[in-house]
Amino acid sequence: MLGAGSRAMAADARVLKINTLASASAVNVPLQSALRSGLGEIAGFAPAEMRPTAKIPQIAQEVIAGAADMGDADIASTLAAAEAGADLKIIGLSYNNTDQVIVSNADKTKSLADIADRGGTIAVNSIGDFMYVMVLGALAKQGIDPQKVNFIEMGSSGDRARALLAGRVDAVPMHIEQAEQIKARGNYQVLVTPWKEYDDWFSAVIMATSGWLKADENKKAAVAVLKASLTAFRKTDSDYAWYKTQVGKYASSKDLKAADDTLLKPVWQQLTGEIKAFSDMEQLNPDAFAKIMPVYKQAGALKGTLDLGKVIDRTYLEQALKELA
Amino acid sequence: MQLGRLTTNILGIVLVLILWQAVGMHLGDALVATPVQVAKALPETLTDPEFWPALGLMIGQMMIGYLLALAVGIPLGIAMGRSRPVFTVVKPWASMFIVVSAAALVPLLIILMGRGLLFRTCIVFVATLWYVVVSITEAARAVSPRLLDVAKSFSASDFQRFRFVILPALYPYLLIAARIGLIHALRAMVTAEMFIGAGFGGLLNNAGLDLSTAPLFGLIVVLMLVSAGATELLRRVAGRAAPWYASRTGG
Amino acid sequence: MAHLSVTGISKTFGTVPVLVDQSLEVEQGEFVALLGPSGCGKSTLLQIINGLIPADSGRVVLDGEDITGRTGSGRGMVFQGADLFPWRTAIENIAFGLQVKGVGKAERLERARHYLELVGLRGFENAWPHQLSGGMQQRVGIARAFCIQPSLLLMDEPFGALDVQTRDILQDELVRIWEAEPKMVLFVTHGIEEALYLADRILVFSKRPARVLSEIKVPFARPRHDDMKLDPEFLRLRREISELLRHDLEA
């Protein structure tokens, strides 16, 4: 039901190319909703052309190569690229805090130490990504030698969950909704709750290159993307019914799309409550990043030579917050 | 005899289904969904509004790269098989490219040409071309020199020997190359689509997130049927167009 | 008057001399057998006359025309293993030479049918070569050579791959067809009996490099019959040639 005016506007509305993960879980839905529909409600912008990407490091690579305007990229590959000399800016957070939990079969495994003692195996998406670092960090916190644990690359969380069900691996990081779903299939319990271990562990960021951000129209686009994201985050925090409809539209898994309140409501409560996954991207600041850097350094994923103040750029977030106020 | 073959085929399929059912019941649907569970999940998959457009898009876009690969690969393969200089120049490239998997090229090609039709055509073309070239080359090299001598002794010109000996001798191999190429084209297309979460590959990605493997296996079964159907179609074309070959191999 | 004149042919493969200054003449309607041990070079001489192998020196003149180093014109070749085109039916194989010459389809098939019937294959027009026995395949091979109505028929051990019974039958068939359409024949064989039974004249070749050890006029009248193989003269000639060859091999 566009009026004549807004239709004219829609005609020359800008379509941003944004690279993102190939699969959207419960924690990804607000950003997906913001970019796929919310952005279109901002004057001068159409819904973004979302470009799902199966290999996580490829997201940042395509932004650096100029094949995409912005990326919803993982923090490890983004900072690693910046360390390698790519002129990148992190301008927002895809979510404020991770929702990943490490799950095991409680009949066999009671703790991470159990796994280390018998030389067990943990499956991650890919070696070196935020999930891998997160597990290493958890091991380090409990004083466990990571050399005693085997890591294997298993790809998507669905494949990881199946590996756990088959008893092929001892523990697997997965999204909280999957941790809920898998409980129905045996005595599967959460072994580590990273957001409790680290306070905040943000794993995905909204990023672009400095070169791209120089043009005024791109600056405007960056603000628009953040406005749409903040709006979706706030709506998620305040309105479960809205969030549920967005999950039905934008979640990748059919199981999650069709999830009823008994599954989804507790997930939403955790995401917005305990985890504080959304709100206003408060964690986008060098201090918060600095807190997690040692874990990345320890894991060998980053050298830690980066001036975080130069990579993290709050300008567009401040502008977006001001315009929304 | 035809009937006997049919019975054997059906018996083989039934045996596999029984085995699959047994394994699935033993391991549970999160690991291996049983054929019965897959059959139950299929109607929902087939009525998903995204399914048919995704399948059509995949096959349609794949055909462009595939046909291009045949159009380039067949003449190139014949030239390589029949001309020493062409063989010497092209063979090292063919051996090199044929071992590079589509999955390894996808990231590079995405950065070079985006994710649109150009990228998909290109990845299918690259993944298919060299299999076509290599099989045609081998066939062209193997064309019987004695039969070429027969033609020559009947004073056939170079063109007549190409037209009356080399082409018909290659005919069955053209269709074999087309069949091998099709399998590689389909595989490359699915790999590419899974990588960028588009089309049928995107559906496979999403189905892989669910704990039950029934919808995923349903999509894989569809993929197998597409592949088997297309190769069977090519086999029939071959049988009709090259009856001397079909009646010799009993196909 | 049809006439073949071959003079001063020499041929060396690498450093191995195969033929040194060989000459021969064939008169109209004459059936000449080239007899010698396997690998002596008699087949090479035939291929030089056929034009498939270039000679190092020497000339081949057929019916007054110098045809050295060229194929076609006036010669029809029957190959050892029949060497039919597997993608052509019997009648299409027979019509091949006419098709190369550009004879229209209806006419060439009509002429091919005549030769198909002449070699006793009526009813097998549309059979594929692999559906025919070895003897039947060679009948097609003979018909294919006759169909272009050459003045010189070249036969390179045409019955060498057949079993004895089939060979005996085909020898009689060949003579019958040849008597119906007489022409010059050069028949390469290593079978003494075969040469005596078929030829008017036999050139007995030495081991490599081939040279004519002896020229034998076969004294038997035509039509010939199987029982002539028991004739004392036949047996005497057979022994004489056999000893000639053995003596040469042991020298």
Side-chain angles (χ1 to χ4, degrees), chain A residues 21 23-26 28 54 56 99-101 123-126 131 154-165 169 172-179 181-182 252-253 256, chain B residues 205-211:
Chain A
L21 282 172
S23 63
S25 63
N28 304 118
I56 291 172
D99 73 318
Q100 299 259 351
V101 288
V124 292
N125 185 312
S126 49
M131 192 184 303
M154 283 291 298
S156 85
S157 52
D159 291 333
R160 297 199 301 270
R162 278 194 284 278
L164 182 63
L165 285 172
V169 298
V172 158
M174 61 177 75
H175 295 289
I176 45 167
E177 71 270 20
Q178 288 170 318
Q181 286 167 313
I182 203 172
S252 293
S253 141
L256 182 56
Chain B
N205 273 352
N206 290 348
L209 294 171
D210 293 337
L211 275 182

mmCIF file of all heavy atoms in Angstrom, chain A residues 21 23-26 28 54 56 99-101 123-126 131 154-165 169 172-179 181-182 252-253 256, chain B residues 205-211:
data_model
loop_
_atom_site.group_PDB
_atom_site.id
_atom_site.type_symbol
_atom_site.label_atom_id
_atom_site.label_comp_id
_atom_site.label_asym_id
_atom_site.label_seq_id
_atom_site.Cartn_x
_atom_site.Cartn_y
_atom_site.Cartn_z
ATOM 1 N N LEU A 21 25.718 -14.580 7.322
ATOM 2 C CA LEU A 21 25.816 -16.021 7.505
ATOM 3 C C LEU A 21 24.778 -16.754 6.658
ATOM 4 O O LEU A 21 23.708 -16.229 6.386
ATOM 5 C CB LEU A 21 25.546 -16.372 8.970
ATOM 6 C CG LEU A 21 26.675 -16.125 9.959
ATOM 7 C CD1 LEU A 21 26.159 -16.354 11.360
ATOM 8 C CD2 LEU A 21 27.821 -17.074 9.658
ATOM 9 N N SER A 23 23.106 -19.294 7.580
ATOM 10 C CA SER A 23 21.958 -19.738 8.352
ATOM 11 C C SER A 23 21.659 -18.753 9.475
ATOM 12 O O SER A 23 22.566 -18.253 10.132
ATOM 13 C CB SER A 23 22.225 -21.125 8.936
ATOM 14 O OG SER A 23 23.308 -21.054 9.834
ATOM 15 N N ALA A 24 20.375 -18.449 9.644
ATOM 16 C CA ALA A 24 19.958 -17.510 10.678
ATOM 17 C C ALA A 24 19.323 -18.281 11.824
ATOM 18 O O ALA A 24 18.314 -18.963 11.630
ATOM 19 C CB ALA A 24 18.972 -16.501 10.090
ATOM 20 N N SER A 25 19.935 -18.195 13.011
ATOM 21 C CA SER A 25 19.354 -18.832 14.185
ATOM 22 C C SER A 25 18.579 -17.783 14.972
ATOM 23 O O SER A 25 18.436 -16.641 14.528
ATOM 24 C CB SER A 25 20.470 -19.435 15.027
ATOM 25 O OG SER A 25 21.309 -18.392 15.469
ATOM 26 N N ALA A 26 18.093 -18.168 16.148
ATOM 27 C CA ALA A 26 17.233 -17.273 16.929
ATOM 28 C C ALA A 26 17.923 -15.944 17.225
ATOM 29 O O ALA A 26 17.305 -14.882 17.164
ATOM 30 C CB ALA A 26 16.818 -17.965 18.224
ATOM 31 N N ASN A 28 20.178 -14.462 15.444
ATOM 32 C CA ASN A 28 20.422 -13.692 14.221
ATOM 33 C C ASN A 28 19.174 -13.029 13.670
ATOM 34 O O ASN A 28 19.264 -12.147 12.822
ATOM 35 C CB ASN A 28 20.999 -14.586 13.113
ATOM 36 C CG ASN A 28 22.260 -15.298 13.532
ATOM 37 O OD1 ASN A 28 22.311 -16.522 13.574
ATOM 38 N ND2 ASN A 28 23.277 -14.524 13.864
ATOM 39 N N ALA A 54 28.356 -19.466 3.191
ATOM 40 C CA ALA A 54 28.516 -20.658 4.027
ATOM 41 C C ALA A 54 29.823 -20.631 4.822
ATOM 42 O O ALA A 54 29.870 -21.050 5.959
ATOM 43 C CB ALA A 54 28.437 -21.909 3.166
ATOM 44 N N ILE A 56 32.413 -18.774 6.913
ATOM 45 C CA ILE A 56 32.360 -17.538 7.677
ATOM 46 C C ILE A 56 33.464 -16.535 7.281
ATOM 47 O O ILE A 56 33.169 -15.359 7.069
ATOM 48 C CB ILE A 56 32.387 -17.855 9.195
ATOM 49 C CG1 ILE A 56 31.062 -18.525 9.580
ATOM 50 C CG2 ILE A 56 32.610 -16.607 10.024
ATOM 51 C CD1 ILE A 56 31.024 -19.050 10.992
ATOM 52 N N ASP A 99 24.930 -16.347 22.198
ATOM 53 C CA ASP A 99 23.919 -17.230 22.790
ATOM 54 C C ASP A 99 24.394 -18.678 22.729
ATOM 55 O O ASP A 99 23.659 -19.588 23.077
ATOM 56 C CB ASP A 99 22.597 -17.108 22.036
ATOM 57 C CG ASP A 99 22.666 -17.774 20.685
ATOM 58 O OD1 ASP A 99 23.704 -17.620 20.008
ATOM 59 O OD2 ASP A 99 21.706 -18.461 20.298
ATOM 60 N N GLN A 100 25.634 -18.871 22.269
ATOM 61 C CA GLN A 100 26.118 -20.246 22.123
ATOM 62 C C GLN A 100 26.395 -20.867 23.492
ATOM 63 O O GLN A 100 26.936 -20.205 24.379
ATOM 64 C CB GLN A 100 27.418 -20.267 21.306
ATOM 65 C CG GLN A 100 27.270 -19.734 19.912
ATOM 66 C CD GLN A 100 27.158 -20.832 18.870
ATOM 67 O OE1 GLN A 100 27.344 -22.007 19.153
ATOM 68 N NE2 GLN A 100 26.837 -20.444 17.647
ATOM 69 N N VAL A 101 26.022 -22.110 23.623
ATOM 70 C CA VAL A 101 26.343 -22.855 24.846
ATOM 71 C C VAL A 101 27.042 -24.141 24.440
ATOM 72 O O VAL A 101 26.839 -24.640 23.331
ATOM 73 C CB VAL A 101 25.067 -23.197 25.664
ATOM 74 C CG1 VAL A 101 24.507 -21.943 26.316
ATOM 75 C CG2 VAL A 101 24.018 -23.860 24.790
ATOM 76 N N ALA A 123 33.521 -30.579 18.664
ATOM 77 C CA ALA A 123 33.306 -30.172 17.273
ATOM 78 C C ALA A 123 33.002 -28.683 17.225
ATOM 79 O O ALA A 123 32.200 -28.187 18.008
ATOM 80 C CB ALA A 123 32.149 -30.960 16.659
ATOM 81 N N VAL A 124 33.664 -27.972 16.314
ATOM 82 C CA VAL A 124 33.364 -26.552 16.111
ATOM 83 C C VAL A 124 33.074 -26.339 14.626
ATOM 84 O O VAL A 124 33.269 -27.247 13.812
ATOM 85 C CB VAL A 124 34.543 -25.651 16.543
ATOM 86 C CG1 VAL A 124 34.732 -25.712 18.044
ATOM 87 C CG2 VAL A 124 35.819 -26.040 15.827
ATOM 88 N N ASN A 125 32.591 -25.134 14.298
ATOM 89 C CA ASN A 125 32.309 -24.850 12.887
ATOM 90 C C ASN A 125 33.606 -24.916 12.098
ATOM 91 O O ASN A 125 33.749 -25.743 11.209
ATOM 92 C CB ASN A 125 31.654 -23.466 12.753
ATOM 93 C CG ASN A 125 31.240 -23.167 11.325
ATOM 94 O OD1 ASN A 125 32.017 -23.360 10.399
ATOM 95 N ND2 ASN A 125 30.017 -22.723 11.145
ATOM 96 N N SER A 126 34.560 -24.044 12.429
ATOM 97 C CA SER A 126 35.878 -24.171 11.807
ATOM 98 C C SER A 126 36.942 -23.703 12.786
ATOM 99 O O SER A 126 36.689 -22.809 13.599
ATOM 100 C CB SER A 126 35.935 -23.385 10.493
ATOM 101 O OG SER A 126 35.448 -22.083 10.689
ATOM 102 N N MET A 131 33.930 -19.382 17.746
ATOM 103 C CA MET A 131 33.392 -20.484 18.545
ATOM 104 C C MET A 131 34.533 -21.326 19.125
ATOM 105 O O MET A 131 34.536 -21.698 20.294
ATOM 106 C CB MET A 131 32.566 -21.334 17.588
ATOM 107 C CG MET A 131 31.682 -22.359 18.215
ATOM 108 S SD MET A 131 30.931 -23.273 16.861
ATOM 109 C CE MET A 131 30.144 -21.951 15.951
ATOM 110 N N MET A 154 33.268 -29.278 11.975
ATOM 111 C CA MET A 154 32.064 -30.012 11.574
ATOM 112 C C MET A 154 31.074 -29.156 10.790
ATOM 113 O O MET A 154 30.037 -29.638 10.376
ATOM 114 C CB MET A 154 31.340 -30.553 12.817
ATOM 115 C CG MET A 154 31.952 -31.784 13.443
ATOM 116 S SD MET A 154 31.788 -33.258 12.443
ATOM 117 C CE MET A 154 30.027 -33.402 12.364
ATOM 118 N N GLY A 155 31.373 -27.866 10.616
ATOM 119 C CA GLY A 155 30.425 -27.033 9.877
ATOM 120 C C GLY A 155 29.218 -26.660 10.706
ATOM 121 O O GLY A 155 29.337 -26.420 11.904
ATOM 122 N N SER A 156 28.048 -26.654 10.082
ATOM 123 C CA SER A 156 26.859 -26.024 10.666
ATOM 124 C C SER A 156 26.454 -26.655 11.996
ATOM 125 O O SER A 156 26.805 -27.790 12.314
ATOM 126 C CB SER A 156 25.690 -26.125 9.700
ATOM 127 O OG SER A 156 25.036 -27.367 9.860
ATOM 128 N N SER A 157 25.666 -25.880 12.769
ATOM 129 C CA SER A 157 25.272 -26.345 14.089
ATOM 130 C C SER A 157 24.397 -27.595 13.997
ATOM 131 O O SER A 157 24.401 -28.420 14.907
ATOM 132 C CB SER A 157 24.557 -25.232 14.844
ATOM 133 O OG SER A 157 23.505 -24.712 14.061
ATOM 134 N N GLY A 158 23.665 -27.745 12.882
ATOM 135 C CA GLY A 158 22.870 -28.968 12.697
ATOM 136 C C GLY A 158 23.768 -30.191 12.613
ATOM 137 O O GLY A 158 23.518 -31.215 13.255
ATOM 138 N N ASP A 159 24.843 -30.066 11.838
ATOM 139 C CA ASP A 159 25.783 -31.185 11.710
ATOM 140 C C ASP A 159 26.483 -31.456 13.036
ATOM 141 O O ASP A 159 26.716 -32.609 13.404
ATOM 142 C CB ASP A 159 26.828 -30.880 10.620
ATOM 143 C CG ASP A 159 26.215 -30.863 9.236
ATOM 144 O OD1 ASP A 159 25.195 -31.556 9.049
ATOM 145 O OD2 ASP A 159 26.732 -30.151 8.357
ATOM 146 N N ARG A 160 26.797 -30.381 13.755
ATOM 147 C CA ARG A 160 27.474 -30.568 15.045
ATOM 148 C C ARG A 160 26.552 -31.303 16.017
ATOM 149 O O ARG A 160 26.971 -32.217 16.723
ATOM 150 C CB ARG A 160 27.883 -29.209 15.624
ATOM 151 C CG ARG A 160 28.881 -28.447 14.779
ATOM 152 C CD ARG A 160 29.589 -27.370 15.582
ATOM 153 N NE ARG A 160 28.702 -26.374 16.165
ATOM 154 C CZ ARG A 160 28.324 -25.246 15.562
ATOM 155 N NH1 ARG A 160 28.753 -24.984 14.341
ATOM 156 N NH2 ARG A 160 27.535 -24.387 16.161
ATOM 157 N N ALA A 161 25.285 -30.877 16.033
ATOM 158 C CA ALA A 161 24.325 -31.505 16.940
ATOM 159 C C ALA A 161 24.187 -32.991 16.612
ATOM 160 O O ALA A 161 24.123 -33.846 17.500
ATOM 161 C CB ALA A 161 22.975 -30.807 16.832
ATOM 162 N N ARG A 162 24.157 -33.316 15.337
ATOM 163 C CA ARG A 162 24.028 -34.721 14.938
ATOM 164 C C ARG A 162 25.254 -35.537 15.344
ATOM 165 O O ARG A 162 25.140 -36.693 15.741
ATOM 166 C CB ARG A 162 23.792 -34.820 13.436
ATOM 167 C CG ARG A 162 22.336 -34.601 13.070
ATOM 168 C CD ARG A 162 22.040 -35.034 11.658
ATOM 169 N NE ARG A 162 22.529 -34.067 10.692
ATOM 170 C CZ ARG A 162 21.862 -32.961 10.370
ATOM 171 N NH1 ARG A 162 20.706 -32.707 10.931
ATOM 172 N NH2 ARG A 162 22.344 -32.120 9.505
ATOM 173 N N ALA A 163 26.435 -34.895 15.240
ATOM 174 C CA ALA A 163 27.662 -35.596 15.654
ATOM 175 C C ALA A 163 27.593 -35.926 17.144
ATOM 176 O O ALA A 163 28.017 -36.998 17.580
ATOM 177 C CB ALA A 163 28.889 -34.740 15.348
ATOM 178 N N LEU A 164 27.012 -35.001 17.920
ATOM 179 C CA LEU A 164 26.867 -35.235 19.359
ATOM 180 C C LEU A 164 25.868 -36.368 19.608
ATOM 181 O O LEU A 164 26.104 -37.264 20.423
ATOM 182 C CB LEU A 164 26.418 -33.949 20.053
ATOM 183 C CG LEU A 164 26.272 -34.021 21.574
ATOM 184 C CD1 LEU A 164 27.621 -34.311 22.223
ATOM 185 C CD2 LEU A 164 25.697 -32.721 22.135
ATOM 186 N N LEU A 165 24.756 -36.338 18.875
ATOM 187 C CA LEU A 165 23.737 -37.385 19.016
ATOM 188 C C LEU A 165 24.312 -38.751 18.663
ATOM 189 O O LEU A 165 23.960 -39.762 19.278
ATOM 190 C CB LEU A 165 22.541 -37.091 18.100
ATOM 191 C CG LEU A 165 21.600 -35.969 18.556
ATOM 192 C CD1 LEU A 165 20.585 -35.671 17.474
ATOM 193 C CD2 LEU A 165 20.902 -36.356 19.851
ATOM 194 N N VAL A 169 31.309 -37.145 18.996
ATOM 195 C CA VAL A 169 32.072 -36.101 19.680
ATOM 196 C C VAL A 169 31.519 -35.975 21.096
ATOM 197 O O VAL A 169 30.407 -36.414 21.391
ATOM 198 C CB VAL A 169 31.986 -34.742 18.950
ATOM 199 C CG1 VAL A 169 32.571 -34.835 17.556
ATOM 200 C CG2 VAL A 169 30.549 -34.251 18.868
ATOM 201 N N VAL A 172 29.741 -29.972 22.055
ATOM 202 C CA VAL A 172 29.500 -29.198 20.855
ATOM 203 C C VAL A 172 28.928 -27.838 21.269
ATOM 204 O O VAL A 172 27.995 -27.794 22.068
ATOM 205 C CB VAL A 172 28.471 -29.948 19.974
ATOM 206 C CG1 VAL A 172 27.789 -29.016 19.027
ATOM 207 C CG2 VAL A 172 29.131 -31.095 19.232
ATOM 208 N N PRO A 173 29.475 -26.728 20.751
ATOM 209 C CA PRO A 173 28.806 -25.453 20.962
ATOM 210 C C PRO A 173 27.600 -25.355 20.031
ATOM 211 O O PRO A 173 27.702 -25.725 18.865
ATOM 212 C CB PRO A 173 29.857 -24.408 20.568
ATOM 213 C CG PRO A 173 31.082 -25.161 20.201
ATOM 214 C CD PRO A 173 30.704 -26.582 19.960
ATOM 215 N N MET A 174 26.477 -24.883 20.589
ATOM 216 C CA MET A 174 25.287 -24.725 19.737
ATOM 217 C C MET A 174 24.441 -23.581 20.259
ATOM 218 O O MET A 174 24.650 -23.091 21.377
ATOM 219 C CB MET A 174 24.496 -26.034 19.668
ATOM 220 C CG MET A 174 23.967 -26.525 20.991
ATOM 221 S SD MET A 174 22.974 -28.029 20.798
ATOM 222 C CE MET A 174 24.228 -29.264 20.522
ATOM 223 N N HIS A 175 23.487 -23.158 19.433
ATOM 224 C CA HIS A 175 22.591 -22.072 19.849
ATOM 225 C C HIS A 175 21.653 -22.574 20.939
ATOM 226 O O HIS A 175 21.329 -23.763 21.004
ATOM 227 C CB HIS A 175 21.789 -21.580 18.650
ATOM 228 C CG HIS A 175 22.643 -20.935 17.596
ATOM 229 N ND1 HIS A 175 23.237 -19.718 17.777
ATOM 230 C CD2 HIS A 175 23.009 -21.350 16.362
ATOM 231 C CE1 HIS A 175 23.926 -19.403 16.698
ATOM 232 N NE2 HIS A 175 23.812 -20.387 15.813
ATOM 233 N N ILE A 176 21.178 -21.626 21.771
ATOM 234 C CA ILE A 176 20.356 -22.064 22.909
ATOM 235 C C ILE A 176 19.082 -22.780 22.473
ATOM 236 O O ILE A 176 18.647 -23.712 23.130
ATOM 237 C CB ILE A 176 19.972 -20.905 23.872
ATOM 238 C CG1 ILE A 176 19.523 -19.685 23.097
ATOM 239 C CG2 ILE A 176 21.082 -20.606 24.842
ATOM 240 C CD1 ILE A 176 18.854 -18.674 24.001
ATOM 241 N N GLU A 177 18.505 -22.345 21.346
ATOM 242 C CA GLU A 177 17.270 -23.033 20.958
ATOM 243 C C GLU A 177 17.559 -24.485 20.587
ATOM 244 O O GLU A 177 16.752 -25.385 20.826
ATOM 245 C CB GLU A 177 16.553 -22.299 19.821
ATOM 246 C CG GLU A 177 17.220 -22.357 18.452
ATOM 247 C CD GLU A 177 18.187 -21.209 18.221
ATOM 248 O OE1 GLU A 177 18.638 -20.589 19.215
ATOM 249 O OE2 GLU A 177 18.494 -20.927 17.039
ATOM 250 N N GLN A 178 18.754 -24.720 20.024
ATOM 251 C CA GLN A 178 19.116 -26.098 19.680
ATOM 252 C C GLN A 178 19.392 -26.902 20.942
ATOM 253 O O GLN A 178 19.059 -28.080 21.021
ATOM 254 C CB GLN A 178 20.347 -26.101 18.772
ATOM 255 C CG GLN A 178 20.016 -25.611 17.372
ATOM 256 C CD GLN A 178 21.263 -25.374 16.552
ATOM 257 O OE1 GLN A 178 22.239 -24.835 17.067
ATOM 258 N NE2 GLN A 178 21.222 -25.768 15.295
ATOM 259 N N ALA A 179 19.976 -26.228 21.945
ATOM 260 C CA ALA A 179 20.217 -26.899 23.219
ATOM 261 C C ALA A 179 18.889 -27.334 23.836
ATOM 262 O O ALA A 179 18.797 -28.400 24.459
ATOM 263 C CB ALA A 179 20.977 -25.972 24.157
ATOM 264 N N GLN A 181 16.109 -27.979 22.004
ATOM 265 C CA GLN A 181 15.538 -29.030 21.150
ATOM 266 C C GLN A 181 16.185 -30.386 21.403
ATOM 267 O O GLN A 181 15.523 -31.413 21.421
ATOM 268 C CB GLN A 181 15.714 -28.660 19.662
ATOM 269 C CG GLN A 181 14.773 -27.565 19.207
ATOM 270 C CD GLN A 181 15.185 -27.026 17.844
ATOM 271 O OE1 GLN A 181 16.342 -26.736 17.590
ATOM 272 N NE2 GLN A 181 14.209 -26.890 16.957
ATOM 273 N N ILE A 182 17.485 -30.374 21.625
ATOM 274 C CA ILE A 182 18.219 -31.642 21.707
ATOM 275 C C ILE A 182 17.940 -32.354 23.029
ATOM 276 O O ILE A 182 18.125 -33.555 23.154
ATOM 277 C CB ILE A 182 19.736 -31.385 21.492
ATOM 278 C CG1 ILE A 182 20.429 -32.658 21.015
ATOM 279 C CG2 ILE A 182 20.384 -30.845 22.744
ATOM 280 C CD1 ILE A 182 21.864 -32.448 20.590
ATOM 281 N N SER A 252 16.291 -19.785 9.471
ATOM 282 C CA SER A 252 16.612 -20.702 8.365
ATOM 283 C C SER A 252 15.989 -22.076 8.573
ATOM 284 O O SER A 252 15.484 -22.688 7.639
ATOM 285 C CB SER A 252 18.118 -20.870 8.243
ATOM 286 O OG SER A 252 18.705 -19.665 7.839
ATOM 287 N N SER A 253 16.066 -22.553 9.807
ATOM 288 C CA SER A 253 15.604 -23.911 10.058
ATOM 289 C C SER A 253 14.084 -23.965 10.114
ATOM 290 O O SER A 253 13.439 -23.094 10.701
ATOM 291 C CB SER A 253 16.217 -24.406 11.377
ATOM 292 O OG SER A 253 15.280 -25.159 12.100
ATOM 293 N N LEU A 256 12.796 -24.254 13.660
ATOM 294 C CA LEU A 256 12.764 -23.004 14.413
ATOM 295 C C LEU A 256 11.634 -22.111 13.915
ATOM 296 O O LEU A 256 10.908 -21.497 14.705
ATOM 297 C CB LEU A 256 14.122 -22.299 14.285
ATOM 298 C CG LEU A 256 14.284 -20.983 15.061
ATOM 299 C CD1 LEU A 256 14.001 -21.184 16.544
ATOM 300 C CD2 LEU A 256 15.688 -20.417 14.869
ATOM 301 N N ASN B 205 21.050 -26.423 2.739
ATOM 302 C CA ASN B 205 21.655 -25.810 3.937
ATOM 303 C C ASN B 205 20.654 -25.749 5.075
ATOM 304 O O ASN B 205 20.931 -26.159 6.192
ATOM 305 C CB ASN B 205 22.072 -24.367 3.626
ATOM 306 C CG ASN B 205 23.453 -24.288 3.048
ATOM 307 O OD1 ASN B 205 24.161 -25.284 3.010
ATOM 308 N ND2 ASN B 205 23.829 -23.119 2.587
ATOM 309 N N ASN B 206 19.498 -25.173 4.757
ATOM 310 C CA ASN B 206 18.499 -24.955 5.807
ATOM 311 C C ASN B 206 17.995 -26.275 6.374
ATOM 312 O O ASN B 206 17.813 -26.413 7.579
ATOM 313 C CB ASN B 206 17.327 -24.147 5.268
ATOM 314 C CG ASN B 206 17.728 -22.709 4.983
ATOM 315 O OD1 ASN B 206 18.812 -22.276 5.395
ATOM 316 N ND2 ASN B 206 16.893 -21.973 4.283
ATOM 317 N N ALA B 207 17.792 -27.251 5.497
ATOM 318 C CA ALA B 207 17.318 -28.549 5.968
ATOM 319 C C ALA B 207 18.358 -29.193 6.878
ATOM 320 O O ALA B 207 18.012 -29.898 7.822
ATOM 321 C CB ALA B 207 17.007 -29.454 4.785
ATOM 322 N N GLY B 208 19.630 -28.902 6.611
ATOM 323 C CA GLY B 208 20.704 -29.461 7.433
ATOM 324 C C GLY B 208 20.696 -28.940 8.855
ATOM 325 O O GLY B 208 21.309 -29.522 9.742
ATOM 326 N N LEU B 209 19.986 -27.826 9.089
ATOM 327 C CA LEU B 209 19.948 -27.259 10.443
ATOM 328 C C LEU B 209 18.966 -27.995 11.342
ATOM 329 O O LEU B 209 19.071 -27.949 12.557
ATOM 330 C CB LEU B 209 19.556 -25.781 10.379
ATOM 331 C CG LEU B 209 20.563 -24.859 9.686
ATOM 332 C CD1 LEU B 209 19.967 -23.487 9.482
ATOM 333 C CD2 LEU B 209 21.836 -24.770 10.512
ATOM 334 N N ASP B 210 17.973 -28.642 10.741
ATOM 335 C CA ASP B 210 16.977 -29.336 11.551
ATOM 336 C C ASP B 210 17.577 -30.608 12.143
ATOM 337 O O ASP B 210 18.430 -31.242 11.531
ATOM 338 C CB ASP B 210 15.761 -29.695 10.697
ATOM 339 C CG ASP B 210 15.027 -28.445 10.246
ATOM 340 O OD1 ASP B 210 15.170 -27.411 10.924
ATOM 341 O OD2 ASP B 210 14.325 -28.502 9.220
ATOM 342 N N LEU B 211 17.096 -30.966 13.304
ATOM 343 C CA LEU B 211 17.644 -32.154 13.946
ATOM 344 C C LEU B 211 17.259 -33.433 13.216
ATOM 345 O O LEU B 211 18.029 -34.364 13.117
ATOM 346 C CB LEU B 211 17.202 -32.223 15.402
ATOM 347 C CG LEU B 211 18.094 -31.428 16.380
ATOM 348 C CD1 LEU B 211 17.606 -31.590 17.791
ATOM 349 C CD2 LEU B 211 19.551 -31.860 16.278
#
